[in-house]
Amino acid sequence: MKRREILKGLVTLPLVGALAYGAYQRNKYFEQVDQEMLDDIQLDLDPLPEIKAFTGKPLKIGIIGCGLRMKYILKSLGYVSPETIDEYRKKAETDEAWERFLNSYLNQPELGVEITALCDVFDVNAELGIRICENKKKQGTAEFTRTNSVKRYSTYQELISSEDVDAVIIATPDHMHAPISIAAAQSRKHIYCEKPFSWSLAETYALRDQIKKNDVVFQLGHQNRQIEAYNVAAKLIKKNVLGKVSLIEVTTNRNSKNGAWVYPIHKEANPNNIDWKQFIGQAPWHDFDLKRFFRWRCWWDYSTGLSGDLFTHDYDAMNQIMDLDIPASAMASGGIYYHKDGRTVPDTLNMSFEFDKQELSLLYSATQSSSRKRGRMIMGHDASMKVDQDLKIYIDRDSTKYKDKIEKGLIDPSQPMFTYSPGAGELDAITSATERYFAGRGLMFTNRSGKQYDTTFLHLHEWLNCIRDRSIKPSCDIDRSFEEGITALMGTISYKEGRRIYWDAEKESLI
Amino acid sequence: MKLSKIQILAITITRIVMGWHFMFEGFVKVLSPNWSAKAYLLDSKGFLSEFFFWIANNDGLLMISDIMVSWGLLVIGLLLIIGLFTKWAAYAAMILLAFFYLSHPPFPGLEYAMPGERNYYIINKNLIEFLAIGLIVLFPVYDYSFDKFMIKVKEEGSDEA
């Protein structure tokens, strides 16, 4: 072979060298960034405890209010109607994701509860509720037989005073949360109550006092407390990854009938099967009205509006992540701009809260007539964090802390620097979409033994755990709940009165 | 068919460029310890998505696919650049590209979580690269390649015999 031919054959070799050098340099760059930015964060992430089934004597549970939300809670507790089991089975026959869901649902860890009592002011809800609560064995219609193990009470007072009840789960209209919880606390029943904490200011204090005085375990239904990403977010912020945070923006965007609380009216509903007087409770009297009954969120008489129904989720999530406590002041404005259906609560609401201790503003902005998603963003001088089921951190282009790295081209501010997606584990029918995100470059934290759980299930599990072991406290305990109650009311009162509301932390009163 | 000098050069450059692309992709993946095709596979859509989910959710298959993709890209790329076993490397590249294409086919109505440029309709870069590598197979050129040595060695061997 001629020398020229050999050289010609080898001419591409330097290219391989150049490429290898480029790849090596690139890799070194990213390794350096990873190490500098992630090492100290990773150290802090302890694995969460595994979910174990409860054994021993079951706790006797009373169900108060059995509408849409309670059916979801019951499902998380492990109770669905035989018809629902049939439906799951049918779907599982043709759909693998449903099959996985059904299997994991049937094998959900036992919570050690026994539902003994139920009350609802609407007969149809109560009867279906009883059917659901009697289906402890998760049977379909073919196998299901009535057990008569669940007693229906006609009032919540009777249910609460029953000796057959150790603890209650409350999912009623907002205006009844506190009166029922207070009655339950006075009868020494443990309480899991849906959010918001309260409807009026006076009962907010009264409820806290009664819970503390009677020493019962209270958990408010903010299941976001169980979202692993939020705990990760809290740790990242403590590590000062974002720098000084000055503004948090949280939003609600909905554009559907249900999203605007225009719920369907049950065909069979009438004055004979609805205990209207009990529904009204402490609210001002109004004649029987099916709209008010099924769409109660639209009237201040029973509702806490956007502030109580939806802002509380965001507030509690931010309180969980940043230990906000009660704001120093609140200011709100908005109006009924789209849903002119006789409602009294606004369908568009903007509220701003000032937190003096942390020196930051929390902005909440909501509309029920646009589904444009804006998400939740925590904004710091060095980085912003977008908080959802997953979380993303974007480094700020004018950051001081990361200045060198931005200049060197190590960081691209337009791309998330860290991404955390929960559940590298199994897919299920409901959350599979969240899992299909790219984890991005950076790190992917592991989650609870790689298994996904329904957050309401975890929240209930925690509450029950705290009843059995009084040395531990629920994550949304009475103090966190009180903070939520006062904060949401500050916004509502500001809207109603058209002025800025201040919180006097020493006297614990609103000005 | 005798190719002109410029045609030979064009085919050679195409081969090297493809190799460069493959090898660099492979390098990056091999060097990042946490890299896995899992998220990509779970993002799959279209008529073969169930197949790709099956791989993603099976630890053994996922490991094999991770190794095949990362090291596969690197080795294929290297072989294409230096022009060794060019034909076989090109076939292997086409198989990998076919998988990439089929897991994320740019058919109307399919939305992917993967961000980035995406104005594709049926034809995307994977398919174009697939066809381009096909040309390398169809127009064998041995200049600037190790394959040339192999041929020479064979020829010289047969001369002696």
Side-chain angles (χ1 to χ4, degrees):
Chain A
M1 227 171 10
K2 287 175 196 158
R3 190 163 159 260
R4 192 172 161 272
E5 276 181 348
I6 295 173
L7 281 176
K8 215 173 146 190
L10 296 176
V11 81
T12 54
L13 272 181
L15 288 174
V16 175
L19 186 142
Y21 179 76
Y24 171 74
Q25 283 298 326
R26 180 188 180 280
N27 189 57
K28 217 173 85 183
Y29 248 20
F30 287 125
E31 261 181 8
Q32 188 191 339
V33 180
D34 276 358
Q35 212 153 31
E36 283 179 29
M37 304 189 74
L38 303 178
D39 266 7
D40 56 347
I41 299 164
Q42 259 178 317
L43 283 177
D44 211 37
L45 286 171
D46 318 316
L48 289 157
E50 224 180 299
I51 302 301
K52 285 193 197 110
F54 285 116
T55 47
K57 203 169 152 244
L59 273 167
K60 289 178 281 184
I61 304 284
I63 298 298
I64 303 175
C66 198
L68 283 174
R69 179 62 198 163
M70 184 60 87
K71 293 199 185 82
Y72 193 88
I73 294 175
L74 288 172
K75 181 182 151 199
S76 299
L77 270 179
Y79 294 83
V80 289
S81 70
E83 289 74 19
T84 307
I85 291 286
D86 285 356
E87 195 190 313
Y88 290 167
R89 283 178 185 164
K90 206 175 156 203
K91 281 179 180 159
E93 274 172 23
T94 53
D95 189 331
E96 250 185 75
W98 273 99
E99 194 187 328
R100 279 195 291 271
F101 165 75
L102 181 62
N103 280 334
S104 97
Y105 187 64
L106 295 176
N107 297 312
Q108 179 171 294
E110 175 60 46
L111 286 175
V113 295
E114 195 183 311
I115 297 174
T116 52
L118 181 145
C119 74
D120 193 284
V121 296
F122 180 31
D123 291 346
V124 174
N125 275 349
E127 280 152 24
L128 176 57
I130 288 191
R131 200 170 158 78
I132 291 169
C133 295
E134 285 188 350
N135 194 18
K136 193 177 167 64
K137 290 181 185 156
K138 302 188 179 103
Q139 291 169 320
T141 44
E143 319 96 88
F144 178 74
T145 43
R146 296 287 311 263
T147 57
N148 297 317
S149 55
V150 184
K151 185 177 171 191
R152 183 183 173 188
Y153 292 82
S154 50
T155 66
Y156 73 82
Q157 290 93 339
E158 288 168 71
L159 182 145
I160 281 167
S161 53
S162 163
E163 284 191 358
D164 246 353
V165 173
D166 302 319
V168 292
I169 301 177
I170 304 167
T172 62
D174 297 354
H175 72 304
M176 296 306 292
H177 288 181
I180 298 175
S181 296
I182 288 171
Q186 285 168 341
S187 295
R188 297 274 173 117
K189 312 287 177 180
H190 304 291
I191 302 158
Y192 182 101
C193 184
E194 263 310 316
K195 49 89 221 171
F197 184 64
S198 56
W199 178 85
S200 79
L201 192 58
E203 67 189 21
T204 311
Y205 298 106
L207 176 52
R208 182 183 59 171
D209 294 347
Q210 288 300 326
I211 298 291
K212 294 205 165 182
K213 194 175 133 198
N214 292 294
D215 194 27
V216 293
V217 178
F218 183 89
Q219 171 96 299
L220 191 63
H222 282 301
Q223 64 276 2
N224 55 273
R225 291 272 168 183
Q226 310 300 331
I227 297 177
E228 203 195 358
Y230 292 7
N231 296 325
V232 174
K235 283 179 177 161
L236 289 171
I237 286 171
K238 281 204 183 83
K239 290 276 177 189
N240 203 28
V241 171
L242 304 188
K244 164 73 189 143
V245 173
S246 56
L247 181 62
I248 304 171
E249 190 181 33
V250 292
T251 58
T252 296
N253 274 75
R254 293 174 157 195
N255 199 14
S256 64
K257 275 195 161 185
N258 275 343
W261 307 321
V262 186
Y263 301 123
I265 290 169
H266 200 284
K267 277 183 205 139
E268 291 162 37
N270 67 64
N272 296 323
N273 58 20
I274 290 173
D275 183 347
W276 181 251
K277 204 173 152 223
Q278 206 187 165
F279 164 74
I280 291 281
Q282 280 134 312
W285 180 256
H286 193 284
D287 287 338
F288 185 82
D289 182 347
L290 283 174
K291 271 193 193 163
R292 281 182 173 246
F293 184 76
F294 286 101
R295 300 170 183 169
W296 54 267
R297 284 192 203 278
C298 300
W299 284 272
W300 285 126
D301 289 351
Y302 331 104
S303 170
T304 49
L306 281 161
S307 185
D309 185 36
L310 297 169
F311 165 68
T312 49
H313 278 305
D314 294 305
Y315 165 76
D316 189 66
M318 292 306 141
N319 198 19
Q320 172 185 358
I321 293 172
M322 298 195 66
D323 281 325
L324 291 177
D325 207 331
I326 296 169
S329 75
M331 208 156 51
S333 66
I336 304 165
Y337 298 144
Y338 186 87
H339 295 282
K340 299 189 185 295
D341 52 6
R343 68 178 60 196
T344 54
V345 302
D347 58 21
T348 306
L349 184 70
N350 299 290
M351 308 197 285
S352 65
F353 300 86
E354 306 307 321
F355 292 86
D356 287 358
K357 211 166 42 189
Q358 294 91 342
E359 295 182 306
L360 65 86
S361 293
L362 167 66
L363 196 65
Y364 174 70
S365 169
T367 172
Q368 287 173 307
S369 56
S370 160
S371 59
R372 166 101 202 148
K373 285 270 172 289
R374 292 174 291 172
R376 307 184 176 113
M377 194 69 94
I378 302 173
M379 289 163 257
H381 171 66
D382 294 310
S384 296
M385 184 189 279
K386 194 166 187 287
V387 183
D388 249 308
Q389 291 287 323
D390 61 341
L391 51 98
K392 293 191 173 75
I393 296 178
Y394 297 83
I395 302 299
D396 197 282
R397 62 181 68 252
D398 296 316
S399 151
T400 311
K401 194 171 162 184
Y402 305 114
K403 191 167 175 248
D404 286 355
K405 295 194 178 72
I406 296 168
E407 278 172 3
K408 278 189 208 157
L410 280 173
I411 291 172
D412 175 2
S414 68
Q415 297 295 323
M417 187 64 217
F418 310 130
T419 305
Y420 165 76
S421 313
E426 290 168 36
L427 290 176
D428 69 39
I430 293 134
T431 49
S432 58
T434 61
E435 235 209 14
R436 294 182 190 177
Y437 279 106
F438 274 96
R441 208 196 60 73
L443 83 169
M444 202 162 157
F445 298 89
T446 53
N447 81 334
R448 219 173 261 221
S449 332
K451 225 176 156 187
Q452 290 199 334
Y453 286 99
D454 169 67
T455 49
T456 303
F457 167 82
L458 292 172
H459 208 45
L460 288 158
H461 177 273
E462 187 191 67
W463 171 60
L464 295 165
N465 206 9
C466 294
I467 295 173
R468 292 179 170 108
D469 178 357
R470 295 302 302 274
S471 67
I472 45 175
K473 275 185 171 181
S475 53
C476 201
D477 68 358
I478 189 61
D479 292 317
R480 301 288 86 75
S481 305
F482 179 75
E483 289 161 12
E484 181 257 54
I486 294 286
T487 306
L489 276 171
M490 283 171 75
T492 300
I493 295 169
S494 170
Y495 173 80
K496 284 182 174 171
E497 296 185 6
R499 66 181 183 93
R500 192 167 174 182
I501 302 294
Y502 296 86
W503 169 248
D504 183 334
E506 264 176 45
K507 291 186 193 151
E508 290 208 318
S509 67
L510 296 184
I511 311 164
Chain B
M1 183 179 58
K2 188 139 168 47
L3 296 173
S4 71
K5 267 194 174 170
I6 188 81
Q7 285 169 325
I8 289 172
L9 195 62
I11 299 270
T12 307
I13 289 172
T14 308
R15 188 197 82 210
I16 293 169
V17 167
M18 299 283 171
W20 182 281
H21 184 208
F22 267 70
M23 193 174 171
F24 195 78
E25 279 285 3
F27 239 122
V28 168
K29 290 177 174 60
V30 168
L31 289 177
S32 33
N34 291 329
W35 180 82
S36 165
K38 181 161 183 160
Y40 185 83
L41 292 168
L42 288 174
D43 190 46
S44 172
K45 302 236 161 50
F47 64 105
L48 283 178
S49 58
E50 282 300 324
F51 168 70
F52 293 105
F53 295 162
W54 175 63
I55 297 175
N57 287 318
N58 182 313
D59 290 343
L61 287 172
L62 182 67
M63 201 179 78
I64 294 168
S65 109
D66 284 351
I67 292 170
M68 296 282 270
V69 171
S70 54
W71 283 99
L73 284 168
L74 196 151
V75 172
I76 291 167
L78 175 70
L79 294 178
L80 286 174
I81 293 178
I82 66 173
L84 180 63
F85 310 124
T86 308
K87 207 169 156 186
W88 298 109
Y91 283 140
M94 288 170 81
I95 291 169
L96 276 185
L97 285 164
F99 276 118
F100 298 158
Y101 179 83
L102 293 171
S103 71
H104 288 63
F107 297 161
L110 299 183
E111 292 269 338
Y112 299 100
M114 181 167 58
E117 23 84 73
R118 59 167 77 166
N119 286 306
Y120 295 129
Y121 177 65
I122 302 173
I123 310 299
N124 67 4
K125 283 194 227 169
N126 285 330
L127 190 61
I128 294 167
E129 203 164 2
F130 176 88
L131 295 172
I133 294 188
L135 291 180
I136 293 170
V137 178
L138 293 175
F139 296 91
V141 167
Y142 297 106
D143 298 60
Y144 310 103
S145 76
F146 278 52
D147 282 340
K148 184 96 171 184
F149 299 148
M150 309 286 281
I151 295 165
K152 280 275 171 189
V153 169
K154 250 192 204 165
E155 279 173 2
E156 278 163 20
S158 57
D159 283 352
E160 280 164 22

